Amino acid sequence: MTAFSSPALALLLALLALLSPPPVNAQVDDGLATVRLDGRALFRIGGTGELEARQRARLIERQLLAVLEVPEGIAKARIAPAGENGEARQISVAGRTLMQVFEDDAQANGQTLDAQARKWASVLETALVQASTRRTSERARFVTDVRASVDTAFARLVEAAVSIVPRALAALLVIGVFWALAAGVRGLTRIISERLVRDRTVENLIKQVSYYTVWLLGLIVAATAFGLEPSTLATGLGLTSLALGFALKDILSNFVSGLLILTLRPFKLGDQIVIGDTEGTVERIELRATQIRTYDGRRVLVPNAETFTSRVTNNTAAPVRRAKVLCHLGYGVEVAQVMALLNAAALETEGVIDTPPPLVVLLELRADGLTFQLNFWCDSRRSDFMQTASRVRIRVIRALRDAGVDLPDPGASTVRLLDEPPEQS
């Protein structure tokens, strides 16, 4: 299994946020759009209370093309008051309304309302006459329409590049700065935590929370530099929360589970745990996965959602752990003597602690002999646990032999057939 690095995860979340469909107001836009006819720029306009600048420009362009469908009907542009109180001016040609000019348009260009309306009416009238002369025949109309489509596409591409590229570079610069800042904060947090915090798990939690907090701030600033308002971006993400919820379900689940694991601390760094079929030492607790080093040296990454919802056995939660050794002997042994020997053997073994004391029980009465179980306590770490159990077994064998207790000999057993007659004396 592989895990996303921290910068890669942050960049992935930023990419998903940018690719998610934002609301109209959250699009990268300087508030102006160019009105074109046959690919030629006429003038730039802003938006209104009902229409965005681009939508308004496209509407004017469609009206101009509609007038050109009847070129002989092109006449002088007319200007008339519009609105409930005549607060706007309406420009029309051949009885078709091309656009309305508002006070905001005039103020943006430093003109009075009537002067701005006359200026744009003249531009539209001239553009229609010139476009009409380019459409004197069906062939000329076809060539002009094709050329206009190509010119318009390239012009809009250049406009978009001029508008977006500086913002994109600014956003990348901001991300780079915050990446360095996040790395510096993580290093500073590590130094401070090593001096003030003794718990490695708490230290890990502080480092990761501070690191990703700086990254989150960096993404917000980068989005602002790119031209996206944080409030409208949040609205857009809210509108697509259902889709993002399904798309990021596993990532968010692992992230939240990681925070809960680091906060509740069911285990800490260095603990030896068992999760499902995985057993080993906890090396790292990331916000996405828990890194475990198995006893044979392999590294396993367990998703935090699986870790948080699964049964976890923490073998080193307590400093000591009980172990057991089974001993199979024949019915000819003295039970009290054997139990005393086993108990003494455990107490004399290195690594076995005195409190709680060892305990010997007669576990089973089997057909082929007796089964004794020796329980003792030792260090809970696996290496000490395994080595101490091995030393206890060696000590038990030596003690039984020294005491003359017969140990089981599988090779000496007698096999008798059911229909074999007994020997006659």
Side-chain angles (χ1 to χ4, degrees):
M1 301 175 62
T2 59
F4 290 109
S5 63
S6 299
L9 177 59
L11 290 178
L12 174 61
L13 294 178
L15 180 61
L16 289 173
L18 293 176
L19 291 181
S20 61
V24 173
N25 293 332
Q27 296 178 1
V28 178
D29 190 5
D30 58 2
L32 296 176
T34 302
V35 178
R36 298 180 180 276
L37 183 60
D38 291 347
R40 294 168 170 79
L42 303 181
F43 48 81
R44 289 172 65 80
I45 60 173
T48 65
E50 299 178 355
L51 293 176
E52 184 199 14
R54 294 179 182 178
Q55 296 174 330
R56 187 183 178 194
R58 302 301 177 263
L59 180 60
I60 296 173
E61 291 171 355
R62 287 196 294 269
Q63 293 297 95
L64 292 173
L65 293 176
V67 172
L68 288 175
E69 292 297 327
V70 188
E72 61 274 8
I74 297 177
K76 185 176 180 60
R78 298 185 60 183
I79 302 175
E84 295 180 357
N85 301 317
E87 68 276 6
R89 298 295 182 265
Q90 179 176 290
I91 302 175
S92 58
V93 173
R96 180 180 291 273
T97 301
L98 299 182
M99 65 176 297
Q100 288 187 355
V101 185
F102 298 93
E103 188 65 37
D104 291 342
D105 298 323
Q107 292 179 1
N109 291 276
Q111 301 282 343
T112 63
L113 180 59
D114 291 327
Q116 187 64 51
R118 287 193 300 269
K119 180 179 179 179
W120 280 353
S122 176
V123 172
L124 294 174
E125 181 181 332
T126 302
L128 285 171
V129 173
Q130 293 176 351
S132 178
T133 60
R134 290 191 292 268
R135 291 169 170 79
T136 55
S137 64
E138 290 298 328
R139 180 178 178 277
R141 177 184 292 273
F142 175 76
V143 173
T144 300
D145 289 342
V146 173
R147 182 178 299 173
S149 298
V150 174
D151 291 343
T152 301
F154 275 101
R156 289 175 180 171
L157 179 62
V158 172
E159 283 184 358
V162 170
S163 176
I164 293 177
V165 169
R167 291 183 172 88
L169 293 178
L172 291 177
L173 178 61
V174 169
I175 289 177
V177 170
F178 273 88
W179 174 78
L181 182 60
V185 169
R186 183 167 59 180
L188 180 62
T189 305
R190 180 186 298 112
I191 295 175
I192 297 176
S193 299
E194 289 176 352
R195 296 181 178 181
L196 301 179
V197 181
R198 300 302 180 185
D199 193 322
R200 293 175 59 197
T201 306
V202 175
E203 175 187 345
N204 191 31
L205 173 62
I206 296 174
K207 287 191 300 184
Q208 294 197 50
V209 170
S210 59
Y211 181 79
Y212 286 110
T213 299
V214 174
W215 260 111
L216 179 61
L217 293 176
L219 292 177
I220 294 175
V221 175
T224 304
F226 192 70
L228 300 175
E229 292 295 333
S231 58
T232 54
L233 180 61
T235 303
L237 292 177
L239 294 175
T240 57
S241 59
L242 183 60
L244 284 175
F246 281 109
L248 303 178
K249 179 182 64 174
D250 293 337
I251 294 178
L252 294 176
S253 177
N254 290 326
F255 183 84
V256 174
S257 298
L259 287 177
L260 291 174
I261 290 174
L262 289 170
T263 303
L264 300 178
R265 292 191 294 169
F267 50 83
K268 60 182 184 296
L269 298 181
D271 278 353
Q272 296 177 350
I273 64 175
V274 182
I275 304 176
D277 297 332
T278 303
E279 181 176 359
T281 303
V282 179
E283 287 192 338
R284 291 182 63 85
I285 305 176
E286 301 287 351
L287 291 180
R288 194 196 74 86
T290 298
Q291 178 178 313
I292 298 177
R293 182 71 64 176
T294 61
Y295 300 127
D296 56 2
R298 294 179 297 171
R299 186 181 70 172
V300 179
L301 297 178
V302 183
N304 284 330
E306 178 181 342
T307 302
F308 191 73
T309 57
S310 299
R311 176 179 295 180
V312 178
T313 302
N314 191 341
N315 290 328
T316 53
V320 295
R321 175 182 174 186
R322 193 186 73 174
K324 65 180 179 180
V325 171
L326 298 179
C327 183
H328 302 285
L329 299 173
Y331 277 96
V333 300
E334 181 63 37
V335 173
Q337 178 190 8
V338 170
M339 296 179 70
L341 288 173
L342 295 180
N343 188 78
L347 289 174
E348 295 171 0
T349 303
E350 179 186 357
V352 177
I353 63 176
D354 297 333
T355 305
L359 175 65
V360 182
V361 296
L362 180 58
L363 186 64
E364 288 183 324
L365 302 177
R366 302 174 57 179
D368 56 348
L370 306 175
T371 299
F372 295 88
Q373 177 175 305
L374 170 59
N375 298 323
F376 57 92
W377 293 81
C378 60
D379 194 293
S380 60
R381 289 173 297 181
R382 180 180 173 84
S383 58
D384 295 334
F385 175 82
M386 298 293 290
Q387 292 175 5
T388 303
S390 176
R391 287 193 292 265
V392 168
R393 293 185 182 95
I394 295 173
R395 183 65 183 173
V396 164
I397 294 174
R398 183 182 305 166
L400 292 176
R401 286 176 176 173
D402 292 344
V405 177
D406 292 333
L407 300 179
D409 185 5
S413 59
T414 301
V415 178
R416 174 176 295 178
L417 299 178
L418 295 178
D419 58 350
E420 181 180 354
E423 294 182 359
Q424 300 293 330
S425 57

